[in-house]
Amino acid sequence: MLKIQNFINGELIQPNSGDYFDNSSPVTGKIYSQVSDSDETDIDNAVASAKEAFKTWSKLPKKERYDHIMRLATEIEAHFNEMVEAESKDNGKPEWLARAVDIPRASENFRFFATASLHFDSEIHEMDGKALNYTLRQPVGVVGCISPWNLPLYLLTWKIAPALAAGNTVVAKPSEVTPMTAFMFSEICKKINFPKGVINVVHGFGHKVGDALSKHPDVPIISFTGGTATGEKIAAVATPMFKKISLELGGKNPNIVFEDAEFNKSVDMAVKAAFSNQGQICLCGSRLFVQNSIYEKFRDSFVEKTKSLKVGNPKNDDSNLGAVVSKQHMEKILECIELAKSEGGEILTGGKRLILDGDLSGGYYIEPTIIENLSHSCRTNQEEIFGPVVSIIPFANESEVIEMANSTKYGLSASIFTKDVSKAHRVAAAIDSGIVWVNTWMLRDLRIPFGGMKSSGVGREGGFKSLEFFTEPKNVCIKI
Ligand code: NDP
């Protein structure tokens, strides 16, 4: 069976323990590969290799780093179909989605940040002819990149690309649940002789290798995307060591539909925001607020469109949803649905596991689920579920919906649907979230500051914000 090995100092190698654990596909529930069960000694080796490589990589002219990084983009494109299939098999998402979003974004991340690094410059502060301050932006060192399972290669490269472009070297820890495309990416690095030690990938469990990476004294900077509880653990370890940290965490995002919204478009967007990637996107609109006067009409149309979604074989183009990522995660989502019922929620559609035919009968499929009749303050409407489950809630007016939208501990993203421009501006300004979309959802421009407020994160990444995070500003004052 295929063994997913670590990538350290340019070589694909066994974990020091010699141990592996099983990796199964949520599409079938069957084990199909084995993952390195690494420990802190593997992290030590990877960090030592990255530290050594930093000496040369950080000194390379920007254009040379750019050339190296662009080769990564080209090679991902050359392995496009294999990577699409692998991402779908490992994660359960439909292949069409990996083809449209995950894998193109992975190569785009490299192109975008390689190019950005050529345009990135710094500040000068002139002191009335007496002195000149200029700010150097220097790479920080070895970056720890820890990423989740929902958009495996997309989010891994979202971290690696700017870290490298800014002149750092990397030790990456992909999610143990979806290690395959990170492994394929390390095979690519080996194949093209990417400079040794600049990129290292260590597989294994978060509480072992993720933790060892977060607290390693030679890793001064951590970029993490994942759950809020894990973010807290990383912050608890890294903050007393005064590391730079960027935390992109969970969300419980409001999707607000006013009575004057374009009806069909907002229904379609609400379906997309709730169920894309089986509802496993941090930005998913999992709380749908609809104004009283259109509530019943909107709800009925939303339920009808949701019922028409097909949950099926991720290989088929007509499958709107595939499998959720693991058995454990499926069980968690089903428990959340039971909790919603016990809180008085009424299931308008869905609510159950789906058993598909043949080989897929062991896979982890859940019907897209809509819940009504819950107060905005109950657990179902306060805690992240991260599955194909959405709660629909009526509201009377602007001030009421703002209060309800802001009532969770999260603050990642929000969508507002209205034709009234002034209302859109007012509500956007009043919502506690790092990102607000008006009349759309998940329209991404890689240059914008991306991140969350409150328990959804610390810091912003994206565009030059990423390059600022992955560099240390140093001011030099010259007396004239
Ligand atoms: P987790 O927090 O469980 O895991 C994320 C990563 O952290 C994994 O690589 C995991 O490894 C690792 N990890 C686990 N424990 C530790 C530890 N003690 N120290 C260091 N690393 C550790 O998140 P999920 O993978 O379950 O992803 C889903 C979550 O990610 C959701 O809450 C979602 O909202 C959030 N997310 C946020 C995004 C954003 O941009 N704000 C984007 C995408 C997702 P392992 O898998 O081996 O446990």
Side-chain angles (χ1 to χ4, degrees):
M1 192 170 290
L2 175 73
K3 284 191 159 47
I4 292 179
Q5 293 174 307
N6 292 332
F7 182 62
I8 298 178
N9 203 26
E11 300 299 333
L12 289 162
I13 55 171
Q14 287 220 45
N16 288 334
S17 64
D19 295 336
Y20 289 82
F21 55 85
D22 293 334
N23 182 35
S24 60
S25 167
V27 176
T28 57
K30 290 191 182 131
I31 295 163
Y32 77 103
S33 58
Q34 293 201 302
V35 191
S36 292
D37 185 1
S38 311
D39 58 31
E40 71 276 11
T41 62
D42 300 288
I43 289 289
D44 286 343
N45 292 344
V47 172
S49 125
K51 198 175 169 188
E52 185 59 30
F54 181 77
K55 293 177 189 161
T56 40
W57 179 257
S58 61
K59 302 281 183 315
L60 281 187
K62 277 183 191 164
K63 177 64 172 61
E64 279 185 42
R65 284 205 295 259
Y66 165 92
D67 288 339
H68 282 300
I69 296 170
M70 291 297 263
R71 287 195 300 145
L72 293 171
T74 308
E75 280 300 313
I76 290 174
E77 281 152 13
H79 292 81
F80 190 84
N81 289 335
E82 296 145 58
M83 288 196 143
V84 164
E85 283 172 26
E87 203 69 297
S88 168
K89 186 171 181 177
D90 220 22
N91 172 278
K93 66 182 68 206
E95 282 191 5
W96 62 259
L97 185 61
R99 197 177 302 121
V101 177
D102 294 70
I103 307 305
R105 253 301 285 284
S107 57
E108 178 59 16
N109 284 337
F110 286 112
R111 290 194 191 288
F112 175 81
F113 284 111
T115 312
S117 69
L118 299 181
H119 297 265
F120 185 49
D121 59 19
S122 188
E123 301 134 40
I124 291 178
H125 298 92
E126 200 265 338
M127 295 174 73
D128 302 323
K130 287 188 235 119
L132 191 64
N133 293 278
Y134 62 89
T135 309
L136 292 173
R137 280 271 169 191
Q138 295 177 318
V140 186
V142 178
V143 182
C145 297
I146 305 176
S147 53
W149 48 254
N150 64 327
L151 298 160
L153 193 65
Y154 169 131
L155 286 174
L156 187 79
T157 54
W158 174 246
K159 300 178 178 310
I160 294 179
L164 296 182
N168 305 282
T169 54
V170 160
V171 176
K173 184 343 222 160
S175 170
E176 136 252 328
V177 186
T178 53
M180 188 56 82
T181 47
F183 174 60
M184 293 168 81
F185 173 69
S186 42
E187 287 182 315
I188 282 176
C189 295
K190 183 170 166 59
K191 182 185 147 204
I192 65 171
N193 284 321
F194 198 80
K196 281 189 193 328
V198 173
I199 299 172
N200 302 273
V201 183
V202 181
H203 296 275
F205 294 106
H207 63 270
K208 279 163 80 175
V209 282
D211 183 59
L213 182 57
S214 306
K215 63 181 176 218
H216 200 291
D218 289 335
V219 177
I221 169 168
I222 306 280
S223 172
F224 170 77
T225 300
T228 296
T230 315
E232 268 177 52
K233 286 187 196 155
I234 291 174
V237 165
T239 309
M241 298 174 82
F242 305 111
K243 297 187 180 213
K244 284 189 99 172
I245 51 174
S246 166
L247 303 173
E248 305 278 358
L249 308 176
K252 187 77 181 175
N253 311 299
N255 192 353
I256 302 170
V257 185
F258 286 98
E259 59 193 0
D260 63 350
E262 212 179 298
F263 189 84
N264 291 333
K265 192 172 144 193
S266 50
V267 174
D268 288 347
M269 274 292 164
V271 172
K272 200 172 163 198
F275 303 119
S276 290
N277 205 36
Q278 297 69 246
Q280 302 166 129
I281 301 180
C282 52
L283 306 165
C284 274
S286 51
R287 291 181 299 152
L288 176 57
F289 295 99
V290 182
Q291 198 154 16
N292 282 337
S293 55
I294 57 161
Y295 181 79
E296 284 176 14
K297 183 178 170 210
F298 189 98
R299 177 198 60 198
D300 294 349
S301 177
F302 181 59
V303 169
E304 193 190 314
K305 286 229 160 79
T306 301
K307 280 185 173 161
S308 73
L309 295 177
K310 187 172 168 200
V311 182
N313 190 339
K315 288 208 161 294
N316 296 345
D317 283 348
D318 66 349
S319 296
N320 300 100
L321 282 80
V324 299
V325 75
S326 65
K327 183 163 187 280
Q328 194 190 12
H329 192 56
M330 175 183 72
E331 285 166 356
K332 184 207 140 181
I333 296 167
L334 295 172
E335 273 170 29
C336 290
I337 295 171
E338 290 311 308
L339 170 72
K341 287 187 201 162
S342 74
E343 291 184 309
E346 192 184 329
I347 308 294
L348 300 181
T349 182
K352 294 189 298 296
R353 178 180 183 182
L354 258 180
I355 305 289
L356 301 184
D357 292 337
D359 243 15
L360 308 188
S361 61
Y364 312 128
Y365 301 86
I366 296 185
E367 296 168 336
T369 301
I370 304 173
I371 308 171
E372 191 188 34
N373 207 25
L374 286 174
S375 89
H376 74 279
S377 57
C378 68
R379 277 182 62 194
T380 302
N381 283 332
Q382 292 288 315
E383 296 172 11
E384 189 182 41
I385 298 173
F386 216 57
V389 181
V390 60
S391 179
I392 180 165
I393 305 159
F395 69 89
N397 54 42
E398 210 175 301
S399 58
E400 187 193 29
V401 77
I402 290 168
E403 196 182 319
M404 291 196 287
N406 287 344
S407 68
T408 74
K409 68 175 182 174
Y410 296 106
L412 187 56
S413 72
S415 282
I416 301 164
F417 290 87
T418 176
K419 288 200 205 103
D420 179 338
V421 178
S422 300
K423 194 191 311 181
H425 284 298
R426 272 196 312 274
V427 178
I431 295 283
D432 296 340
S433 70
I435 301 143
V436 179
W437 283 290
V438 175
N439 295 327
T440 188
W441 174 73
M442 212 175 154
L443 185 56
R444 290 280 289 116
D445 181 327
L446 301 191
R447 295 167 300 177
I448 66 153
F450 181 90
M453 295 166 60
K454 304 198 289 192
S455 296
S456 288
V458 175
R460 297 290 182 274
E461 293 186 26
F464 291 148
K465 292 275 173 270
S466 292
L467 297 179
E468 282 166 14
F469 173 68
F470 288 112
T471 52
E472 197 68 85
K474 181 193 285 175
N475 191 73
V476 181
C477 177
I478 311 277
K479 174 100 176 68
I480 295 172

